[in-house]
Amino acid sequence: MNVETPRLEIHIDRIAHNASAVISQCGAQGIRVAAVTKVMQAHPALLRALEGSGCVMLADSRIDNLKRIAEAGLDLPTMLLRAPTPGNAPEAVRWADHTLISSYQTAEALSNAAGMAGVRHKVVMMVDVGDLREGVWPDRAVEEVSRIARLPHLEVAGLGTNLACFGGVIPTREKMEMLVTLRDECRSATGHPLELVSGGNSANLPLLASGEMPAGINNLRIGEAIVLGRNVLDRSPWPGTRQDTVELVGGIIELQRKPSVPIGRTGQDAFGNTTHFTDRGLRLRAICDLGRQDAAPDAIEPVDPGIEVLGASSDHLIVDVTDAETPVRVGSEIRFLPSYGGLLSASTSPHVRKVATGRP
């Protein structure tokens, strides 16, 4: 029986292996892991892989994904990674146990929503230690936490930061010590325990492995290192993990021998790019039923080393199969390993079927 393409094959057992490996490495240094599910929209296959892995929390940036986690029935607390707008505060309170915040206005809206719901909501104040994404500047952290701690329906669970995301700033011992020191100052100013110190994401693992992570950091939010087994600082394989956890599969809809340089005057392509071609003579080219709506061509790598991705339009992926190790024909399938960006696109594309394989 043929399985339709394009499809994303999610290998539950391989992701579960990665999760256990990474979470054990963190646990050996007293760090507990919030497993991040956003790159795969909290797909049930990913949730099955994470269940029983040892993570203490599930984290996502989208409220809709937190709803999927709730529907799956996993008995783990949840964390909303992206601060909600004030208008979305009621939904955040309903579906998240913790919310990362960076402004008093958001905290006030969450406190009001929590009061209406008759609950006490936990928040983590984000501090920007240099990556220039979200977070209060360090010199304002104590003042902001002190204000938020007075809100009636919130509990300031702790402090967090994010690195190697927008600015690409690498986590260092000095930056982690800054976060711990700020937590201690906020604790003294408020009298609250502020037990959670969330040092960042997968980018913190090299610091952890070096033995330079300060003892005060007790939480990391890990996604890519678990799902794809990558060191996010250079995309090299992370020790103890597999990289063949998710495969994007396209079907060949055309196979022709054609010139390697277009014939005629050329201008911009459909996406406003000017492409330069190298004349390699006649080559065997295949078109797959994948396009930029599903994944950017530079965000997927063929499993077969003899196949080369040439480019893509909205709906067609053009690949050179002249040197393919496995014979191809119209109807054959080509497998690709997606990068984080490629997986994000394929996971969110409604045109890519998601298929789970293996068991945790």
Side-chain angles (χ1 to χ4, degrees), residues 52-71:
S53 66
C55 67
V56 298
M57 193 179 302
L58 296 174
D60 207 291
S61 58
R62 312 280 175 152
I63 292 175
D64 284 347
N65 293 344
L66 294 181
K67 292 179 184 178
R68 294 188 181 95
I69 293 172
E71 290 166 357

Side-chain angles (χ1 to χ4, degrees), residues 4 40 45 68 93 106 135 149 171 174 189 209 214 261 318 325 330 337 349:
E4 66 185 69
M40 291 176 62
R68 294 188 181 95
V93 167
T106 301
E174 290 73 23
V261 176
I318 299 94
E325 294 184 352
V330 171
L337 296 178
S349 172

Side-chain angles (χ1 to χ4, degrees), residues 101-278:
I101 63 170
S102 56
S103 71
Y104 180 82
Q105 292 82 359
T106 301
E108 188 174 40
L110 287 168
S111 179
N112 292 337
M116 293 291 291
V119 299
R120 190 169 177 81
H121 190 66
K122 296 180 180 180
V123 295
V124 177
M125 172 58 80
M126 296 296 284
V127 181
D128 189 342
V129 296
D131 199 59
L132 303 183
R133 203 179 77 170
E134 83 276 30
V136 297
W137 209 241
D139 62 1
R140 294 182 51 241
V142 174
E143 176 188 353
E144 286 296 286
V145 170
S146 298
R147 292 178 69 201
I148 291 168
R150 292 193 288 270
L151 291 169
H153 305 293
L154 294 187
E155 175 187 339
V156 183
L159 267 60
T161 195
N162 189 75
L163 289 163
C165 193
F166 174 73
V169 176
I170 296 173
T172 61
R173 182 177 182 87
E174 290 73 23
K175 290 189 179 297
M176 295 298 100
E177 287 177 339
M178 180 190 301
L179 186 65
V180 174
T181 298
L182 286 171
R183 188 283 305 269
D184 293 343
E185 292 175 358
C186 291
R187 177 185 278 176
S188 297
T190 64
H192 292 239
L194 305 176
E195 294 177 351
L196 182 68
V197 186
S198 188
N201 53 49
S202 295
N204 288 62
L205 291 178
L207 182 65
L208 178 88
S210 73
E212 289 296 307
M213 185 71 77
I217 302 296
N218 56 27
N219 173 271
L220 290 176
R221 311 177 303 277
I222 306 294
E224 185 172 353
I226 289 175
V227 177
L228 294 177
R230 295 287 181 185
N231 177 345
V232 304
L233 297 182
D234 60 11
R235 265 62 195 186
S236 61
W238 184 253
T241 66
R242 300 181 60 156
Q243 290 69 55
D244 57 349
T245 50
V246 186
E247 294 177 295
L248 182 60
V249 184
I252 297 177
I253 59 175
E254 178 185 301
L255 187 63
Q256 299 280 347
R257 197 169 295 278
K258 295 184 179 181
S260 46
V261 176
I263 308 301
R265 293 178 60 190
T266 60
Q268 294 183 345
D269 65 15
F271 294 88
N273 302 312
T274 301
T275 306
H276 300 282
F277 297 86
T278 301

